[in-house]
Amino acid sequence: MADIMKGYGSEHHLNGVHGSGNGCHSNGTTTFTNILSNGHSTSNSTNGIHKNGHSTYHNGNSTSSSNTDSHNQEPYDLICIGFGPASLAIAIALHDQKTQARVLFLERQPEFAWHAGMILPGSRMQISFIKDLATLRNPRSEFTFLNYLHEKNRLVTFTNLGTFLPLREEYNDYMAWCASHFEDYVRYGQDVVSVAPVGEKPIQNWTVTSRDIENGQEKRLTARHVVIAVGGKPNIPKAFPQNPLNSRIIHSSGYSSTVPKILNDKNKAYKIAVVGGGQSAAEIFNDMHTRYPNSKTSLIIKGSALRPSDDSPFVNEIFDPSRVDSVYSMPTEIRGESIVQDRATNYGVVRLELIEHLYETFYHQRLQNPSEAEWQHRIVPLREVARVEENKLGELHLQLKNTRTGEAETTAGFDAIIVATGYVRNVHEALLKPARGLLEGNSYQVNRDYRVQFKEGAVATNSGVWLQGCCESTHGLSDTLLSVLAVRGGGMVESIFGKEMSAANC
């Protein structure tokens, strides 16, 4: 493996590479330990290098002193805000493409986790494992899903399953396995609060300010390039409290971790509402039937019925990495119409197998009792939540509006309401508020390579801010999904660094 990123602490570089002479061991391979830089060396090493030629790092912090402001240090080449799948794909691409750079990842969570609140028993991925974090860019990468299976001694048995769709639990473990290779270069528990330009125009560097989740201490680091890949924040419809004090109103993102705490008797006859008509809502609704077998559940949807997602081969080509070029090049109005037309592939739709399973559940209920009003599990169609109220008994009532007739009705009380209404992807706007004066217009437009468009001459050509996962309006429906991450990660590395920092092959 290649020695792709050099560290601050190692002052003795030969041809820009750590280690013995040319950065290679005597057997012609390079060290894995120092592929990324976190900018600090440990106190028991010499110039950041062990006697065996490996660089030494420890969670982005020096073991001999406390953190200091970045103004006393050389700027990072790249800081990635967020260490979810998008940033992980970038880390893997940096490794595979043997790029030398000083890079750091800042993540709010205490450890790597991907949609932890929606890892439900038996839930499967909706994309092929071939669309992992590496294969479509480099099938020979050690970070492919197949190599993960090989390393875990499950390759043959997975093959016997005869599926391209792993369990979501397994895919999460795959990504955590990938992330474990880069742990020394991620600072977990860091809530980034701002990204600000440094100095006069043209801007050469950016200050990234983060707050330590545990102790509240603020830290400032400087970088030439910043990638913002923080994902979405829960979308709570206006009818619901925007900062609910009532812990029994739960967004789907926290379902599996929060619900067992507030509904802690699995045999109790809870009354539970799930709001939403997409895959997450349907999965939660279905999971409730097993998790709380005596509960009464209602799935409240705007449409007349659950709609199946269109994942047929020709339609599925809209998620091909090459399609991003054609989408970006479309005139704005046509692109918007195209995205709306293709929304049935991803938004407000459910995989057909789950729809069929739920229909069978309802059929069994009908077999036992023809009166739907008395069923244990019901879908309530053509309803939109207008208001949420709590009575003196602590029950939550929903005021619903019929989406066709406009008529209003009030539901019976619920013990909990799960809101599965997606995400808002505008966190970058708050983080980049100090840079608003550099924008060409009033919004954060990006180039094809995801670089934020600032005023001409405002930012140096070897510096910039890049957005990930919030560019659907310009780059298409695949922007927030896993499908393009492998190729996009490689493209990001090439756009940011080009060939200027590529390490020579050993």
Side-chain angles (χ1 to χ4, degrees):
M1 298 173 213
D3 198 0
I4 67 170
M5 295 185 180
K6 58 186 180 181
Y8 280 59
S10 306
E11 300 297 337
H12 299 293
H13 297 161
L14 296 178
N15 298 321
V17 184
H18 291 294
S20 54
N22 60 2
C24 301
H25 291 301
S26 58
N27 62 3
T29 62
T30 56
T31 63
F32 179 83
T33 310
N34 50 345
I35 64 168
L36 296 167
S37 168
N38 56 20
H40 299 276
S41 61
T42 56
S43 59
N44 61 350
S45 62
T46 304
N47 295 320
I49 303 177
H50 280 306
K51 292 180 181 179
N52 62 7
H54 291 198
S55 295
T56 58
Y57 309 104
H58 182 67
N59 298 325
N61 300 312
S62 169
T63 58
S64 58
S65 62
S66 59
N67 291 317
T68 57
D69 279 1
S70 64
H71 303 293
N72 299 324
Q73 304 170 353
E74 183 182 353
Y76 287 91
D77 295 307
L78 170 64
I79 289 179
C80 289
I81 302 172
F83 193 58
S87 287
L88 182 53
I90 292 173
I92 292 171
L94 285 164
H95 170 273
D96 288 354
Q97 295 174 209
K98 305 175 183 178
T99 304
Q100 289 191 19
R102 295 178 297 276
V103 177
L104 182 67
F105 301 89
L106 300 175
E107 169 57 46
R108 192 179 192 280
Q109 298 184 105
E111 60 185 4
F112 182 88
W114 171 70
H115 288 306
M118 282 299 297
I119 305 296
L120 306 183
S123 60
R124 291 195 174 274
M125 297 296 295
Q126 295 176 260
I127 62 168
S128 166
F129 68 81
I130 295 176
K131 295 183 176 182
D132 58 27
L133 298 177
T135 298
L136 294 185
R137 175 183 50 78
N138 177 16
R140 297 176 178 177
S141 170
E142 69 173 294
F143 293 100
T144 65
F145 182 76
L146 287 180
N147 189 53
Y148 155 77
L149 291 173
H150 172 71
E151 291 292 319
K152 296 290 186 176
N153 198 29
R154 294 201 306 268
L155 181 56
V156 173
T157 49
F158 180 87
T159 302
N160 291 338
L161 290 174
T163 181
F164 280 85
L165 304 177
L167 290 170
R168 196 173 296 167
E169 177 185 7
E170 183 171 36
Y171 204 79
N172 179 64
D173 188 66
Y174 155 67
M175 290 194 288
W177 172 81
C178 291
S180 69
H181 291 79
F182 304 99
E183 281 186 351
D184 289 344
Y185 319 104
V186 184
R187 293 187 188 178
Y188 289 103
Q190 296 297 313
D191 185 17
V192 175
V193 295
S194 70
V195 177
V198 177
E200 302 296 327
K201 301 177 184 177
I203 302 303
Q204 302 280 347
N205 294 296
W206 307 85
T207 294
V208 178
T209 302
S210 65
R211 183 178 298 114
D212 190 287
I213 299 291
E214 283 193 9
N215 57 32
Q217 179 184 358
E218 281 198 352
K219 303 176 184 178
R220 292 178 177 82
L221 300 168
T222 305
R224 284 199 302 125
H225 303 281
V226 176
V227 170
I228 299 177
V230 294
K233 62 182 179 181
N235 176 39
I236 306 295
K238 293 181 180 179
F240 290 85
Q242 294 304 295
N243 296 295
L245 297 177
N246 193 319
S247 61
R248 291 177 294 120
I249 299 175
I250 306 157
H251 188 265
S252 57
S253 58
Y255 167 70
S256 63
S257 57
T258 304
V259 165
K261 296 177 183 177
I262 62 172
L263 305 179
N264 54 20
D265 185 351
K266 67 178 182 179
N267 295 315
K268 191 172 181 179
Y270 292 116
K271 293 172 290 183
I272 305 166
V274 181
V275 179
Q279 182 72 20
S280 294
E283 286 184 1
I284 290 171
F285 181 62
N286 181 61
D287 182 68
M288 285 287 185
H289 304 167
T290 303
R291 190 182 294 264
Y292 301 105
N294 299 317
S295 66
K296 287 191 174 183
T297 61
S298 299
L299 178 61
I300 300 170
I301 63 176
K302 288 183 180 180
S304 59
L306 293 177
R307 304 290 179 181
S309 56
D310 187 347
D311 58 355
S312 55
F314 290 111
V315 171
N316 211 38
E317 287 186 347
I318 68 171
F319 301 116
D320 289 358
S322 60
R323 280 294 183 94
V324 178
D325 288 329
S326 60
V327 171
Y328 187 84
S329 63
M330 291 178 182
T332 302
E333 185 175 338
I334 294 176
R335 183 171 59 232
E337 293 174 356
S338 176
I339 290 174
V340 170
Q341 184 178 0
D342 292 332
R343 285 180 68 86
T345 60
N346 186 55
Y347 291 107
V349 290
V350 183
R351 287 190 69 85
L352 182 58
E353 308 93 278
L354 180 53
I355 290 177
E356 292 173 340
H357 172 75
L358 290 174
Y359 195 87
E360 185 175 353
T361 298
F362 294 155
Y363 183 81
H364 288 162
Q365 292 184 129
R366 188 180 299 277
L367 180 65
Q368 298 169 5
N369 186 347
S371 175
E372 285 191 35
E374 298 176 13
W375 288 0
Q376 185 178 358
H377 310 298
R378 298 180 61 204
I379 292 180
V380 184
L382 301 173
R383 299 296 191 276
E384 186 174 18
V385 177
R387 194 164 65 178
V388 182
E389 296 179 343
E390 183 176 0
N391 65 16
K392 294 180 180 179
L393 299 176
E395 294 177 324
L396 298 168
H397 292 264
L398 295 178
Q399 287 196 1
L400 303 179
K401 182 180 72 173
N402 189 299
T403 56
R404 285 186 179 172
T405 66
E407 294 180 0
E409 62 183 88
T410 301
T411 66
F414 293 107
D415 296 298
I417 300 173
I418 315 301
V419 184
T421 48
Y423 298 85
V424 178
R425 302 182 183 276
N426 59 1
V427 177
H428 62 284
E429 296 178 4
L431 294 181
L432 287 171
K433 188 175 181 180
R436 287 195 66 87
L438 302 176
L439 292 177
E440 191 65 52
N442 294 322
S443 60
Y444 292 91
Q445 299 297 315
V446 294
N447 297 330
R448 167 61 185 87
D449 63 355
Y450 304 93
R451 180 173 179 165
V452 175
Q453 296 175 358
F454 292 109
K455 294 177 182 177
E456 185 175 354
V459 178
T461 57
N462 65 341
S463 177
V465 176
W466 315 71
L467 302 182
Q468 294 282 269
C470 52
C471 306
E472 183 182 281
S473 63
T474 53
H475 288 67
L477 286 172
S478 63
D479 185 69
T480 63
L481 307 179
L482 298 173
S483 298
V484 300
L485 289 189
V487 173
R488 190 174 76 184
M492 290 288 292
V493 171
E494 292 178 1
S495 294
I496 294 173
F497 296 113
K499 296 182 180 179
E500 63 172 299
M501 303 187 76
S502 294
N505 291 327
C506 293

